[in-house]
């Protein structure tokens, strides 16, 4: 076509017109297209090929590709076109729907930049570092080329602002999983779990996507001052479900109740008639509670503390005192032990008491005899 005819043809187009063009030549910094239904060629500068930075035009298009384009400039013999603007317009409409519905979709990470990730959705989408994962990530270099799921969390077309989040997807899935687990849990269940976090008052255990609390009192049968004495982060543990509060999403767990109880096989550990060392734990008006094993206490009734009569156990015992006791009775079912201290002590020698009484009596008789003799002398 002559130069004059080209000029006439060009005048049929205006800025903003939509055209279709077929790629006839891919140069390093621009692409030449044959505009359908005309005899004109169009030029797409490399900057108008994609919403993302493109090093070479061949990275974005190939010869023979049929493209939807928008007229940017009308020059004397050619049209300057944009693929990016048409793609963006289509994309914004689609993205607006996704944003309104909260749709989760897949996309490939095109680049890793300072502060986050870049995703091409027809427009440039940005994923801030804080919205990539639910956990902290130090190095994002291996995320380039990775296909991930995203949700749109901010969209402002006028400012060309599109913020995506993978973290929101992870947390949403966790939330669904959490509710499923909450619905399925029942008190009394025994489950495998992993210790996630240790605090002063207990340990949080992950039981498959949801954490439950093992209070310090439910960690062990033995008294402990700190949870770290018996569990550590990352440790696998068996837990029993004590209660489930679905409204507040709270689960109470016990490790202690999955362990053999301290009273288990107590008749073998403390057989009737045997002698065992223990520690006085509590003194009450009717006796003393003595700990024989962690979590196992028995009662020494006040009548079994000493042979002599005592008003209160405090007269002969004190808390924390180490003593020996004899096992009188063992009741594993009711978790009761009857103990005795006095049965391990010798009785006071009754012989001495019996001997003293006649001596007093003899003394009395001698006095009488002397008195009688004096009477006789007076006569």
């Amino acid at each position: 076509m002559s130069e004059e005819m080209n000029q006439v043809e060009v005048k049929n187009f205006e800025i903003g017109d939509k055209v279709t063009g077929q790629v006839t030549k891919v140069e390093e910094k621009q692409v030449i297209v044959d505009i359908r239904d005309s005899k004109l060629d169009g030029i797409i500068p490399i900057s108008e090929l994609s919403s993302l930075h493109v090093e070479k035009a061949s990275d974005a298009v190939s010869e023979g590709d049929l493209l939807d384009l928008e007229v940017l400039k009308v020059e004397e013999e050619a049209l300057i076109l944009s693929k990016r603007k048409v793609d963006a317009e289509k994309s914004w409409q689609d993205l607006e729907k996704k944003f309104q519905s909260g749709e989760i979709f897949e996309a490939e990470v095109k680049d890793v930049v300072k502060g986050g990730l870049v995703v091409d959705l027809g427009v440039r989408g940005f994923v801030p570092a804080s919205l990539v994962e639910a956990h902290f990530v130090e190095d994002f270099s291996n995320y380039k080329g990775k296909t991930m799921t995203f949700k749109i969390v901010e969209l402002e077309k006028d400012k060309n602002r599109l913020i995506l989040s993978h973290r929101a997807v992870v947390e949403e899935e966790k939330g669904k999983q959490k509710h499923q687990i909450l619905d399925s849990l029942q008190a009394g269940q025994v489950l495998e779990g992993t210790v996630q976090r240790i605090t002063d008052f207990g340990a949080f255990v992950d039981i498959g996507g949801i954490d439950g609390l093992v209070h310090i009192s439910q960690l062990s049968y033995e008294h402990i001052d700190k949870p770290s004495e018996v569990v550590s982060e990352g440790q696998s543990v068996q837990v029993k479900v004590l209660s489930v509060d679905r409204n507040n999403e709270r689960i109470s767990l016990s490790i202690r109740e999955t362990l053999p109880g301290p009273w288990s096989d107590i008749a073998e550990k403390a057989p009737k008639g045997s002698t065992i060392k223990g520690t006085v734990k509590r003194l009450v008006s009717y006796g003393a509670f003595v700990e024989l094993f962690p979590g196992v206490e028995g009662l020494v009734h006040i009548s079994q503390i000493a042979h002599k009569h005592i008003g209160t156990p405090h007269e002969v015992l004190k808390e924390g005192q180490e003593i020996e006791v004899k096992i009188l009775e063992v009741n594993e079912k009711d978790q009761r032990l009857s103990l005795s201290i006095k049965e391990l002590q010798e009785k006071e020698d009754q012989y001495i008491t019996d001997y003293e009484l006649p001596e007093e009596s003899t003394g009395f008789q001698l006095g009488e005899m002397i008195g009688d003799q004096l009477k006789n002398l007076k006569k």
Side-chain angles (χ1 to χ4, degrees):
M1 183 183 289
S2 67
E3 187 177 313
E4 189 178 318
M5 288 180 72
N6 270 356
Q7 289 174 350
V8 172
E9 187 87 20
V10 162
K11 287 177 182 176
N12 293 330
F13 294 93
E14 292 183 357
I15 293 169
D17 284 352
K18 302 291 192 294
V19 299
T20 303
Q22 188 166 27
V23 178
T24 55
K25 191 176 183 182
V26 179
E27 297 177 356
E28 189 177 351
K29 297 298 179 185
Q30 64 181 24
V31 173
I32 311 299
V33 294
D34 178 22
I35 297 170
R36 184 177 279 185
D37 302 325
S38 81
K39 304 289 185 180
L40 284 173
D41 284 338
I43 299 167
I44 310 171
I46 192 168
S47 60
E48 292 298 324
L49 283 172
S50 171
S51 60
L52 301 183
H53 175 72
V54 177
E55 288 289 340
K56 305 193 298 286
S58 57
D59 290 341
V61 295
S62 304
E63 279 189 26
D65 286 354
L66 206 59
L67 309 175
D68 290 326
L69 306 162
E70 183 178 318
V71 177
L72 288 182
K73 287 183 187 176
V74 179
E75 296 192 341
E76 287 186 6
E77 294 185 26
L79 300 176
I80 306 301
L81 305 166
S82 173
K83 174 178 178 293
R84 178 182 62 81
K85 287 193 79 173
V86 176
D87 289 347
E89 193 58 45
K90 288 179 185 173
S91 296
W92 281 119
Q93 291 173 12
D94 181 49
L95 293 167
E96 186 71 47
K97 289 176 187 173
K98 284 182 166 65
F99 181 48
Q100 294 299 333
S101 66
E103 184 184 333
I104 293 169
F105 54 89
E106 283 191 344
E108 184 185 332
V109 176
K110 290 291 184 183
D111 206 0
V112 176
V113 295
K114 187 179 179 181
L117 311 175
V118 174
V119 177
D120 182 14
L121 295 170
V123 295
R124 182 183 187 272
F126 182 62
V127 190
S130 61
L131 298 184
V132 176
E133 299 286 2
H135 57 271
F136 174 73
V137 178
E138 191 169 343
D139 182 13
F140 290 103
S141 56
N142 62 342
Y143 278 71
K144 187 171 182 177
K146 188 176 180 181
T147 298
M148 300 175 71
T149 47
F150 296 102
K151 278 183 80 170
I152 299 169
V153 290
E154 287 183 47
L155 184 148
E156 292 181 81
K157 182 182 174 184
D158 296 343
K159 295 180 181 178
N160 210 36
R161 180 178 171 82
L162 180 67
I163 305 298
L164 310 176
S165 173
H166 174 64
R167 176 179 175 172
V169 177
V170 172
E171 288 176 346
E172 188 175 307
E173 287 172 353
K174 267 190 174 181
K176 287 176 185 174
Q177 191 180 17
K178 193 173 183 178
H179 282 103
Q180 286 172 353
I181 294 169
L182 274 170
D183 290 342
S184 68
L185 284 177
Q186 297 295 331
Q189 278 180 288
V190 175
L191 307 163
E192 289 289 330
T194 305
V195 178
Q196 290 290 96
R197 212 157 36 92
I198 294 175
T199 66
D200 291 339
F201 54 84
F204 287 93
V205 175
D206 177 7
I207 49 173
I210 187 168
D211 287 355
L213 173 65
V214 182
H215 190 265
I216 189 168
S217 63
Q218 291 294 329
L219 285 169
S220 171
Y221 282 106
E222 297 180 34
H223 171 75
I224 57 171
D225 294 318
K226 296 183 295 183
S228 56
E229 290 175 22
V230 289
V231 290
S232 55
E233 287 185 8
Q235 181 182 344
S236 292
V237 290
Q238 269 204 330
V239 290
K240 183 177 181 179
V241 179
L242 298 182
S243 65
V244 183
D245 180 349
R246 291 179 174 83
N247 293 331
N248 295 307
E249 298 185 355
R250 286 179 185 164
I251 304 163
S252 294
L253 305 171
S254 174
I255 291 175
R256 187 181 78 175
E257 291 204 13
T258 67
L259 305 171
W263 287 87
S264 181
D265 301 325
I266 193 67
E268 292 176 22
K269 292 188 282 188
K272 184 176 178 179
S274 63
T275 300
I276 296 180
K277 278 189 177 179
T279 306
V280 177
K281 283 291 179 181
R282 285 176 296 137
L283 295 175
V284 292
S285 60
Y286 54 86
F289 285 94
V290 178
E291 185 181 61
L292 303 184
F293 308 101
V296 175
E297 289 183 5
L299 174 67
V300 182
H301 190 266
I302 191 167
S303 63
Q304 291 292 331
I305 290 175
H307 288 288
K308 66 180 181 180
H309 173 74
I310 57 171
T312 68
H314 296 81
E315 292 177 27
V316 289
L317 295 172
K318 59 182 179 180
E319 290 181 0
Q321 183 179 345
E322 295 277 326
I323 56 168
E324 277 198 336
V325 292
K326 184 177 180 179
I327 312 295
L328 299 182
E329 293 292 338
V330 181
N331 186 332
E332 186 174 326
K333 184 183 174 186
D334 296 332
Q335 297 188 352
R336 286 181 185 169
L337 283 175
S338 294
L339 311 173
S340 175
I341 297 171
K342 80 175 186 182
E343 287 209 8
L344 299 177
Q345 298 171 343
E346 289 185 18
K347 284 186 178 180
E348 292 173 6
D349 197 337
Q350 286 285 262
Y351 174 73
I352 296 171
T353 306
D354 293 342
Y355 178 77
E356 284 174 349
L357 289 171
E359 190 177 44
E360 287 173 6
S361 177
T362 305
F364 180 72
Q365 287 170 357
L366 284 170
E368 281 182 341
M369 286 172 67
I370 292 166
D372 289 343
Q373 287 176 354
L374 286 169
K375 284 177 186 177
N376 292 331
L377 287 170
K378 287 178 182 177
K379 287 177 184 178

